[in-house]
């Protein structure tokens, strides 16, 4: 790899942040520890902020000279996001993906980080604090489940199936009402469409061969860079709705991932039509 980032050290840092700042607060949050950011379904907790502070404080030792793009850092300073496209090296972090679940006491959340070099995602990590394992990919090296005992398993997406048999994830909440009605009606054409409200776990199970597609409308880099790279390294086809590659600078245009190009085309033509 051309970037100068110790991926194992970055993975261990996500674990440390979870063990010190996230898990002790799980199901132990007080009312003042949870705040609304933009709307009732967009939350931040003390655990999000504390975990991001810990990761940020250690990142220079792992990725010297990198730009740090954290979800909560950008919430405090939106202009920070503009540095991502032109950075020689950037570390993008979601301290808790699935904050709504975390705040509700649901055991479905993760910690994500990606490495972006000159506008390209070159590494991604999704850590599950409760399972204490990582899904990791470096560009060109495959996607791997890494367990704390050192064992590794290469991940591969499922084989394609006909549209009516597909099971997948679709985040429809950011469509306008008229478009949402169309897409949700079209989703009757697949076998099951769901949303775990946690991209971290959706990407993990998709890359592990347990789903046939994922769709997202809102594209924030901390939510999708790591997972998209992991999915592609596991053999998936991923593109924005217009068929163009998804890049770190993209904040709109939708994102559709499928087991293969043929499945992607069918989903785009028959389901995600708006």
């Amino acid at each position: 790899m051309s970037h100068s980032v110790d991926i194992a050290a970055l993975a261990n840092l996500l674990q440390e942040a979870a063990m010190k700042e996230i898990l002790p607060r799980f199901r132990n949050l007080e009312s003042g520890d949870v705040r609304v950011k933009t709307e009732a379904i967009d939350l931040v907790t003390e655990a999000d902020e504390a975990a991001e502070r810990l990761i940020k404080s250690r990142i220079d030792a792992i990725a010297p000279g990198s730009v740090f793009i954290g979800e909560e850092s950008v919430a405090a300073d939106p202009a920070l996001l503009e540095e991502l496209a032109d950075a020689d090296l950037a570390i993008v972090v979601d301290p808790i993906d699935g904050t709504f679940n975390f705040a509700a006491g649901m055991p479905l959340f993760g910690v994500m980080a990606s490495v972006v070099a000159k506008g390209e995602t070159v590494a991604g990590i999704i850590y599950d604090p409760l399972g204490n394992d990582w899904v990791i990919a470096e560009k060109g090296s495959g996607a791997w489940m890494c367990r704390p005992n050192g064992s590794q398993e290469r991940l591969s997406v499922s084989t394609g199936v006909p549209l009516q048999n597909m099971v997948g994830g679709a985040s429809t909440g950011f469509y306008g009402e008229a478009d949402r009605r169309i897409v949700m009606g079209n989703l009757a054409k697949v076998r099951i469409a769901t949303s775990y409200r946690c991209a971290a776990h959706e990407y993990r199970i998709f890359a592990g061969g347990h789903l046939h597609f994922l769709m997202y409308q809102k594209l924030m880099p901390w939510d999708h860079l790591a997972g998209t790279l992991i999915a592609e390294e596991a053999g998936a086809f991923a593109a924005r709705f217009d068929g163009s590659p998804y890049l770190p600078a993209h904040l709109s245009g939708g994102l559709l991932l499928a087991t293969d190009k043929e499945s992607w085309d069918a989903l785009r033509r028959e389901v995600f039509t708006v």
Side-chain angles (χ1 to χ4, degrees):
M1 301 298 296
S2 60
H3 60 81
S4 55
V5 179
D6 185 335
I7 299 302
L10 181 58
N12 290 336
L13 178 56
L14 301 188
Q15 181 190 46
E16 181 182 354
M19 295 300 176
K20 289 185 176 179
E21 305 293 357
I22 297 173
L23 288 179
R25 292 179 168 92
F26 183 51
R27 295 180 177 166
N28 287 310
L29 293 168
E30 298 181 1
S31 59
D33 293 338
V34 183
R35 300 184 302 283
V36 173
K37 293 167 72 174
T38 60
E39 55 179 324
I41 60 172
D42 183 16
L43 305 178
V44 63
T45 73
E46 290 294 317
D48 296 77
E49 294 175 335
E52 184 165 313
R53 283 195 300 270
L54 190 155
I55 295 168
K56 184 178 181 179
S57 71
R58 306 279 186 83
I59 209 68
D60 196 54
I62 295 172
S66 62
V67 175
F68 181 84
I69 307 288
E71 179 178 7
E72 307 314 327
S73 298
V74 172
D77 180 12
L80 181 62
L81 190 55
E82 298 173 6
E83 299 184 31
L84 180 58
D86 298 324
D88 287 338
L89 182 65
I91 307 297
V92 181
V93 169
D94 190 342
I96 301 180
D97 183 72
T99 297
F100 185 93
N101 295 344
F102 178 82
M106 292 177 59
L108 199 63
F109 54 90
V111 187
M112 298 198 287
S114 56
V115 180
V116 176
K118 298 184 184 300
E120 179 183 27
T121 308
V122 295
I125 304 169
I126 302 177
Y127 175 66
D128 176 13
L130 294 174
N132 192 29
D133 54 26
W134 304 258
V135 170
I136 298 177
E138 291 190 73
K139 192 170 182 64
S141 299
W144 299 84
M145 167 68 76
C146 302
R147 296 182 174 85
N149 65 2
S151 66
Q152 297 184 354
E153 175 187 353
R154 188 159 191 164
L155 300 179
S156 178
V157 296
S158 171
T159 56
V161 298
L163 185 68
Q164 65 268 24
N165 295 334
M166 290 185 187
V167 175
S171 179
T172 60
F174 293 101
Y175 280 111
E177 182 177 351
D179 288 345
R180 187 163 63 248
R181 288 179 182 275
I182 294 170
V183 170
M184 293 186 75
N186 288 343
L187 283 167
K189 298 177 184 180
V190 305
R191 186 69 180 89
I192 297 175
T194 189
S195 172
Y196 296 112
R197 302 198 65 175
C198 179
H201 278 281
E202 290 166 353
Y203 280 117
R204 281 171 59 109
I205 61 177
F206 175 61
H210 305 292
L211 295 175
H212 301 110
F213 68 89
L214 295 174
M215 186 284 296
Y216 301 99
Q217 179 71 12
K218 184 180 180 182
L219 305 184
M220 302 310 293
W222 43 81
D223 289 327
H224 301 297
L225 294 183
T228 299
L229 178 64
I230 287 166
E232 290 178 321
E233 289 295 319
F237 181 83
R240 294 197 297 167
F241 291 163
D242 64 2
S244 64
Y246 168 54
L247 300 174
H250 292 151
L251 302 179
S252 62
L255 177 62
L256 178 59
L257 303 95
T259 53
D260 51 60
K261 181 62 163 59
E262 183 179 359
S263 297
W264 191 98
D265 287 338
L267 287 159
R268 182 70 177 97
R269 181 180 62 250
E270 300 291 336
V271 180
F272 304 109
T273 58
V274 295

